[in-house]
Amino acid sequence: MTGLVTFGETMALFAARRTGPLRFARDFDLGLGGAESNVAIGVARLGHPACWIGRVGADEFGDLIRSTLAGEGVDVRAVPDPGAPTGLMIKGRRTADHIDVSYYRTGSAGSRLSPDDLDPSLVRAARVLHVSAITPALSATARETVRHAVKLARDAGVTVSLDVNYRRALWTPQEAGAWLRETVGDVDVLFATEAEGRLVTGPDTAGGPEELAWALAALGPAHVLVKLGARGALELSGGVLRRAEPYRVTEVDPVGAGDGFAAGWLAGLLDDAPPDRRLDMACAAGAFAVTSQGDWESLPRRDDLRLLTGQGDGVSR
């Protein structure tokens, strides 16, 4: 049995090394990034089997994605697509406090994901199927792939996890909201920021994050996680609302924090950990994610978690 199965688009990532307008950048770091593969890496680092399924170009960037994920212990099921390139992500730091991310993914290999790319036996054998609302925004076939995977998982009794992960460059709030409202009743675990949650319930939903969590739970998910950034997070599970304070760290790159949070929580679920421990692991993994450049490079391993709990003296020898 596989702990986590996920799928989506992972792109080659060019990150400018200097701060300022991107047109003046001369040096870039080359890596990769994708919400679902970030979660797979995070879960694998925390000790659980994780499988990522996707399409990549039959190119050097596709080879980079496959080899990097495999090196992180992820079971990679990547289809090389000779008819489309690997998508690109360009990250620049316009000021010390503002990061711009641009995507070049129209017609990419990842956007051509289809139900035929899924191995039904992998989905049925998972403990958790994790999807994001990025994938259905990529294309009609990608949207159908999400629908097909969720049905396979539900029919097999597999826990279904959904991270809203709204990307305004891919679809409008109205389009995203309509798809989310159609889908949220079929998921067991829902991750959302406060703004993303209101895409599901509607912008006029009364009250604060606590009331929002109850409104989201009323739509079907057994576990609702509302991410509040510097204010921590909420979890509503089993009719009990829990709140966690954030870990205080020095933020270097905020991209990937939500994926780290999801990975930490799902690893806690796979541990069969109690709710308080799951939420704590989520906050810790999300905090680690922002402590260095890159979308996933700082995601923690088990031994790293104690560094945020005051069990160390700040020096490793």
Side-chain angles (χ1 to χ4, degrees):
M1 176 176 284
T2 298
L4 177 92
V5 169
T6 189
F7 61 91
E9 180 172 36
T10 296
M11 295 164 285
L13 168 60
F14 286 89
R17 290 180 174 175
R18 64 177 292 174
T19 299
L22 197 60
R23 63 183 178 273
F24 297 122
R26 298 296 179 267
D27 297 309
F28 293 82
D29 289 319
L30 173 61
L32 59 91
E36 301 84 5
S37 58
N38 293 345
V39 172
I41 290 171
V43 168
R45 285 191 177 182
L46 290 170
H48 291 282
C51 173
W52 175 81
I53 302 165
R55 277 185 172 260
V56 296
D59 50 36
E60 287 291 320
F61 296 143
D63 291 344
L64 169 69
I65 289 167
R66 289 187 292 168
S67 63
T68 301
L69 293 180
E72 287 293 327
V74 175
D75 178 6
V76 181
R77 306 296 179 97
V79 179
D81 188 335
T86 301
L88 297 180
M89 186 189 327
I90 313 296
K91 184 187 292 186
R93 190 177 286 274
R94 183 61 182 85
T95 69
D97 300 316
H98 182 80
I99 292 176
D100 288 317
V101 182
S102 300
Y103 302 98
Y104 298 84
R105 64 200 315 176
T106 301
S108 66
S111 71
R112 288 155 58 117
L113 190 71
S114 76
D116 290 340
D117 296 327
L118 296 180
D119 180 346
S121 65
L122 278 175
V123 177
R124 295 187 184 113
R127 285 188 61 192
V128 177
L129 172 73
H130 178 70
V131 299
S132 86
I134 295 173
T135 306
L138 298 177
S139 67
T141 62
R143 189 175 306 122
E144 179 60 21
T145 305
V146 177
R147 188 203 65 79
H148 179 58
V150 170
K151 185 176 188 306
L152 285 172
R154 289 193 65 81
D155 289 348
V158 174
T159 296
V160 178
S161 165
L162 168 65
D163 193 335
V164 174
N165 239 328
Y166 176 63
R167 296 290 186 269
R168 65 178 180 272
L170 294 176
W171 52 358
T172 67
Q174 293 75 23
E175 291 170 327
W179 183 86
L180 287 162
R181 285 187 288 276
E182 291 174 0
T183 307
V184 72
D186 291 327
V187 308
D188 303 290
V189 183
L190 179 67
F191 297 95
T193 65
E194 193 170 355
E196 288 171 343
R198 294 182 192 280
L199 285 177
V200 184
T201 63
D204 297 327
T205 303
E210 293 85 358
E211 290 79 9
L212 175 64
W214 286 105
L216 290 167
L219 299 176
H223 309 279
V224 172
L225 286 300
V226 181
K227 299 172 287 185
L228 302 173
R231 294 178 291 145
L234 295 176
E235 176 179 349
L236 177 57
S237 297
V240 178
L241 187 65
R242 296 172 175 84
R243 183 156 193 156
E245 295 299 318
Y247 283 99
R248 302 299 176 184
V249 296
T250 300
E251 181 183 292
V252 176
D253 183 346
V255 179
D259 302 330
F261 182 93
W265 194 92
L266 292 171
L269 182 69
L270 293 168
D271 288 344
D272 297 317
D276 288 341
R277 177 58 179 158
R278 288 192 311 245
L279 189 55
D280 183 68
M281 286 180 65
C283 291
F288 265 105
V290 307
T291 57
S292 76
Q293 297 285 353
D295 290 18
W296 54 268
E297 284 82 347
S298 285
L299 291 174
R301 293 179 169 82
R302 290 279 172 176
D303 288 346
D304 294 326
L305 295 177
R306 66 184 181 86
L307 299 176
L308 294 183
T309 62
Q311 298 179 38
D313 62 3
V315 179
S316 297
R317 294 184 172 91

